[in-house]
Amino acid sequence: MSMKKAIKFTLLLSIAICIQLFFIAPIAKAEQKTYMDNEVSISKKDLIILLEKISGNLGSDIADIGNYANADEEYIKRSVEKLKGLNIIDEHVSFANLYESPKKEEVYYLLAKYIGIEAAEGKTAFIDDEKLQSWSRGYIKELENLGVIEGKDKSFEPGKVLNRGELRDVIKELFLTVINTSQNFKADENNKSKAFIVVNANDAVIENIKIQTPILINQKASNGRLRIINSDISKIYIAAGSQNFEVQLSNSKLQSAKSLGKNISYTNLGSDGKVEPLPNPEEYKPDGRKPVKRIIKGSRSNGSSDSYFGGNNQKENKAQSDKETEEKVIPQDKGTAKPEEKKGTENIAENKKTQSEVLPKVNEGTPNEGKKNSAAENLSEDFIVLNEHLYADKTLKYKAVNGVTLEDKALIGLKLSGENNGVKLNVKWEGESLNQVKNAQKGEYMLAVSSLEDLVINDKNYGKVKFIVKIIIE
């Protein structure tokens, strides 16, 4: 090879390596810096700047406490008012004097409220728990429940004034990383942190989180997607103002979610490349109903992906659900549809007719008397329709203003575990309330869904199934 060709080959190889390095997604890790201001006491102004940095509104490193990223005092005052509007700042912590030093208790309280966690009941494990104020204890307890902070045999020192070095330790304790741009955060094998991952980007990827790490999705991530790969996530918190966002799991687990956002969807990417909707992991708590305690697990495709909501053993769930399905218990009366009230004798008669619908009366009479209701003979409660309207109490919930579309092809799963084969089947919807549901009339309804094809889940053929679906239209 001539010298000229050798130089040309070396240049091309160098360019190729540079291009390859450029396209490899960077890992989001905080820079290791040495700070000279560790002994400087923090101010409430510093705390507001920290919250703005965590939100992605200010660009500098969140650990660089003294760097205000050109934010002036007017900016900080506007931020205070905005945080008051979100009820993150309340009457318990005054920001009348921005140069006053906050107490340690106040710092944790505000950060916990910013994240969106709810106060837990009971005492913390800190040996000086009695020194905590009643308004802060529950939030600090919940951080302890999440495993983010450890209180056993330790003092919390709620009245202590933190310096910048100590605030940096708090940041490290509560936040594993803050993703502000398109990044692939891949945890290394030695990572044992249960701190929050904060997502401000609308196209981030999180990979290899194995210790049930919680995630906070901020408003700046709206109109995007977060893909979670090979990870174990304890809970996702979606901040107020977030909207049009997809959480996609790939060979991952998510126990639950709390959302203050709008139009948030959850999907599963199977090993075969198919994307299927997952049940909404947020607890459905309508007025007058008891909070749902158990969260439905997500779908599992024909591939090797084992994504699901909840942390129970899948084999145990499968065995139990198969057993319950084989028993085919005739469902109990679930109540009647509740359309909007009408006045007049004609409408009273109409309402009585609605209340005598066949489907809600699936267990008419006493089974021990040997009677079988023909309408209930082939109905089951062992299956669910899996779509974006499914909530944790196993109901399909719709907004009347958005209308109701009953799909002709539906993804059917086991009610106990949510397991399914990832394939939509042709289905038929039946019931005297069918037109009311299609017309999006507010109320609670029971419809029957029949699969027109055999349902096969985990190599078990359930045949053509017919089951009850509860629908709530608000």
Side-chain angles (χ1 to χ4, degrees), residues 97-115:
N97 182 359
L98 290 171
Y99 295 92
E100 181 184 27
S101 293
K103 297 176 182 178
K104 182 180 179 183
E105 177 180 35
E106 295 174 331
V107 172
Y108 278 83
Y109 174 69
L110 287 171
L111 289 174
K113 291 195 72 178
Y114 172 82
I115 290 165

Side-chain angles (χ1 to χ4, degrees), residues 337-379:
K338 297 180 180 178
E340 294 178 323
E341 292 183 2
K342 301 179 180 180
K343 296 181 181 179
T345 56
E346 181 181 341
N347 291 329
I348 291 173
E350 183 181 339
N351 285 339
K352 285 184 177 179
K353 180 182 178 183
T354 303
Q355 292 174 1
S356 64
E357 291 177 359
V358 175
L359 284 172
K361 297 169 65 177
V362 292
N363 198 27
E364 194 171 69
T366 306
N368 292 335
E369 295 176 357
K371 296 180 181 179
K372 281 189 178 181
N373 187 296
S374 59
E377 191 171 351
N378 295 318
L379 291 179

Side-chain angles (χ1 to χ4, degrees), residues 432-471:
E432 291 186 16
S433 299
L434 186 59
N435 287 333
Q436 291 170 289
V437 172
K438 287 183 176 180
N439 292 330
Q441 182 176 338
K442 294 181 180 180
E444 298 184 11
Y445 305 95
M446 307 288 284
L447 294 182
V449 176
S450 304
S451 68
L452 305 182
E453 305 161 77
D454 286 354
L455 174 66
V456 180
I457 300 177
N458 295 324
D459 299 322
K460 179 170 181 176
N461 191 333
Y462 294 93
K464 294 180 176 63
V465 297
K466 186 173 184 180
F467 56 98
I468 294 174
V469 172
K470 185 174 182 179
I471 294 175

